[in-house]
Amino acid sequence: MNILNVVNVYFTLPYFLGNQIKFFTRQGHNIHVICSPSDKLKLYADNQGCKYSEIKIDRRINPLSDIISVVLLWKYIRKNNFDIVVGHTPKAGLLAMLAARLAGVKKRVFFRHGLNYETATGIKRSILIFCEKITSRLSTKIICVSNYLIERSIKDRISPKDKMSVLNIGSCNGVDAINTYNPDNINPNEISSLRDKLGISKTDFIIGFVGRLVKDKGISELVDAFEILNQKNAKLLLVGPLENGDALPLKTVERIKSNPNIIYVGLVENGLELYYSLMNVFILPTHREGFGVSLLEAQAMSIPVLTTAHTGARDAIKPNESGEFIDLSIDSIAQHLLKYINSPELAKQHGANGRQFVLDNFSEQSIWEEINRKVYNS
């Protein structure tokens, strides 16, 4: 079967698709990938055993550039006679579904990883909602990464219920909790070296975050809450890139860089499990989330987690067993962090529960089999 996956930027390939392409190529499928130009794309494609092409897809609305992208996608789809076209993320999904429809592809699948209009306002929100509705209409099937997204899509009249489904109980790729995110596989010497590099002692209580450092992720609230904790042995470890889109206030960035107890390491592409190994608690105080893969990674590493209940992140934890829900307020964040700081046995139990939760529900193999059943062979 000829299958095309379309994303806008390279970062989403290892994050959303991981090694599933290698799995499906070994199943006999002919997989192609398209994304914006990247010097890492060829290496990824070679490793996964798939074909690739570079077509620029702007993350923001750019009518002229978008038209060019659709034409190039249409030509590529027609040339390769794809049986299925799969679009990921709002912008790439919209352009992929439109090009596939124009090319006469009968199976057009949109992966809804989130709803980016949730935190938008005014005309921007209206435009984003309209784009989601168009993508929905152009697609023949929508895979949502959480049950929350299905509920919200129905509530906001974005997509009909019968067109949407979820893989198992959520996520788009699962987590490798056996080989990669497995605390039993971590080399103590590598952890010791990383501690020394970051200036962390064994007695420090590490509050961790992994993801894009933007307003939507609640970073400003997290920094505020951390600074009122007043715990001398607590450190905040921030792993991820600062971005221009939805950028943090300059004041927040300055505090991150000037506070000696806040450790900012930027984007980490390899060895992320080592950074999780340093954490005593993981927090994702997000305003808008489709699911929250970082929550699964943290739980797989036996780390208790804190996140918000009003987003898709609610489906990525087992509340009061593997972690707890927080409100998006400084006091709520601080109080829940203090609870784990003062209750090491509770933190340990929630961490153990979290690892089992991931093993039971989010193995890569189980998610890939769901994709094969619901996307490729439906």
Side-chain angles (χ1 to χ4, degrees):
M1 187 174 290
N2 261 3
I3 302 165
L4 172 64
N5 280 274
V6 182
V7 303
N8 55 356
V9 292
Y10 170 78
F11 174 78
T12 58
L13 283 172
Y15 193 68
F16 288 154
L17 300 181
N19 288 315
Q20 68 175 254
I21 292 179
K22 184 184 296 184
F23 172 80
F24 288 119
T25 56
R26 290 174 176 173
Q27 299 291 312
H29 295 301
N30 181 31
I31 309 286
H32 292 232
V33 169
I34 284 179
C35 84
S36 295
S38 169
D39 57 1
K40 301 174 183 177
L41 181 56
K42 183 181 185 304
L43 182 62
Y44 177 82
D46 289 345
N47 178 262
Q48 297 296 313
C50 68
K51 298 176 183 178
Y52 75 94
S53 182
E54 297 178 324
I55 295 177
K56 181 182 178 183
I57 299 176
D58 284 334
R59 296 179 72 176
R60 297 183 178 181
I61 296 174
N62 184 332
L64 179 59
S65 177
D66 293 344
I67 291 172
I68 294 173
S69 298
V70 169
V71 171
L72 293 175
L73 284 167
W74 173 78
K75 288 182 176 179
Y76 191 84
I77 293 168
R78 287 289 298 268
K79 178 182 177 181
N80 291 279
N81 193 29
F82 289 106
D83 301 295
I84 304 174
V85 172
V86 185
H88 300 264
T89 72
K91 186 61 177 297
L94 172 60
L95 301 189
M97 294 300 97
L98 177 56
R101 175 70 177 271
L102 293 173
V105 179
K106 292 183 178 180
K107 289 187 177 182
R108 305 179 299 275
V109 182
F110 173 50
F111 264 75
R112 178 164 285 150
H113 297 277
L115 294 167
N116 57 1
Y117 65 78
E118 287 188 285
T119 53
T121 57
I123 186 66
K124 180 180 179 181
R125 178 182 174 87
S126 298
I127 292 173
L128 293 175
I129 289 176
F130 176 75
C131 289
E132 283 285 343
K133 289 182 176 180
I134 294 299
T135 305
S136 174
R137 185 175 290 270
L138 291 169
S139 65
T140 57
K141 178 171 292 189
I142 299 169
I143 303 296
C144 294
V145 299
S146 66
N147 283 300
Y148 164 81
L149 288 179
I150 291 180
E151 294 172 16
R152 186 63 190 262
S153 297
I154 294 171
K155 177 183 176 183
D156 295 343
R157 298 181 180 179
I158 301 298
S159 307
K161 183 178 181 179
D162 60 0
K163 188 178 275 192
M164 297 183 288
S165 62
V166 68
L167 306 173
N168 285 355
I169 64 171
S171 98
C172 58
N173 187 55
V175 170
D176 179 10
I178 303 301
N179 300 303
T180 304
Y181 297 103
N182 185 345
D184 293 335
N185 292 345
I186 302 300
N187 186 325
N189 293 328
E190 290 184 301
I191 294 299
S192 179
S193 296
L194 186 57
R195 284 185 186 277
D196 291 342
K197 176 184 175 181
L198 299 178
I200 295 173
S201 72
K202 290 185 177 180
T203 59
D204 287 332
F205 186 94
I206 305 301
I207 300 159
F209 168 89
V210 175
R212 296 178 301 115
L213 271 62
V214 293
K215 287 190 290 186
D216 272 358
K217 297 295 183 181
I219 300 301
S220 294
E221 292 90 339
L222 176 56
V223 170
D224 287 341
F226 175 74
E227 291 188 336
I228 69 168
L229 276 177
N230 196 29
Q231 299 288 308
K232 65 178 181 179
N233 291 329
K235 285 186 168 62
L236 177 60
L237 176 60
L238 301 175
V239 182
L242 288 162
E243 295 196 350
N244 294 325
D246 190 36
L248 293 174
L250 182 59
K251 183 179 178 181
T252 300
V253 176
E254 290 174 346
R255 288 159 65 196
I256 289 172
K257 294 182 176 181
S258 63
N259 189 325
N261 290 319
I262 297 180
I263 304 168
Y264 166 64
V265 299
L267 177 65
V268 173
E269 295 187 277
N270 298 300
L272 189 56
E273 64 274 11
L274 294 176
Y275 290 84
Y276 281 117
S277 295
L278 300 175
M279 301 175 189
N280 298 100
V281 62
F282 180 84
I283 183 167
L284 179 61
T286 181
H287 293 251
R288 173 180 69 84
E289 201 72 31
F291 183 69
V293 175
S294 59
L295 290 165
L296 296 187
E297 294 169 348
Q299 288 171 101
M301 292 296 293
S302 297
I303 304 167
V305 295
L306 296 172
T307 193
T308 49
H310 65 279
T311 73
R314 72 175 197 196
D315 296 320
I317 81 167
K318 204 166 186 180
N320 302 316
E321 291 188 40
S322 70
E324 297 185 351
F325 290 135
I326 54 173
D327 297 326
L328 267 175
S329 70
I330 297 170
D331 287 342
S332 178
I333 294 172
Q335 287 171 10
H336 280 83
L337 289 173
L338 279 172
K339 183 176 181 178
Y340 280 129
I341 290 173
N342 296 325
S343 307
E345 286 303 315
L346 177 66
K348 183 179 180 180
Q349 185 59 58
H350 280 188
N353 292 344
R355 177 160 176 77
Q356 194 59 52
F357 174 59
V358 172
L359 289 171
D360 290 343
N361 298 284
F362 301 102
S363 71
E364 289 180 317
Q365 185 77 22
S366 65
I367 299 298
W368 296 345
E369 289 173 357
E370 277 282 275
I371 293 173
N372 202 37
R373 183 171 67 86
K374 291 186 175 179
V375 179
Y376 296 163
N377 292 318
S378 62

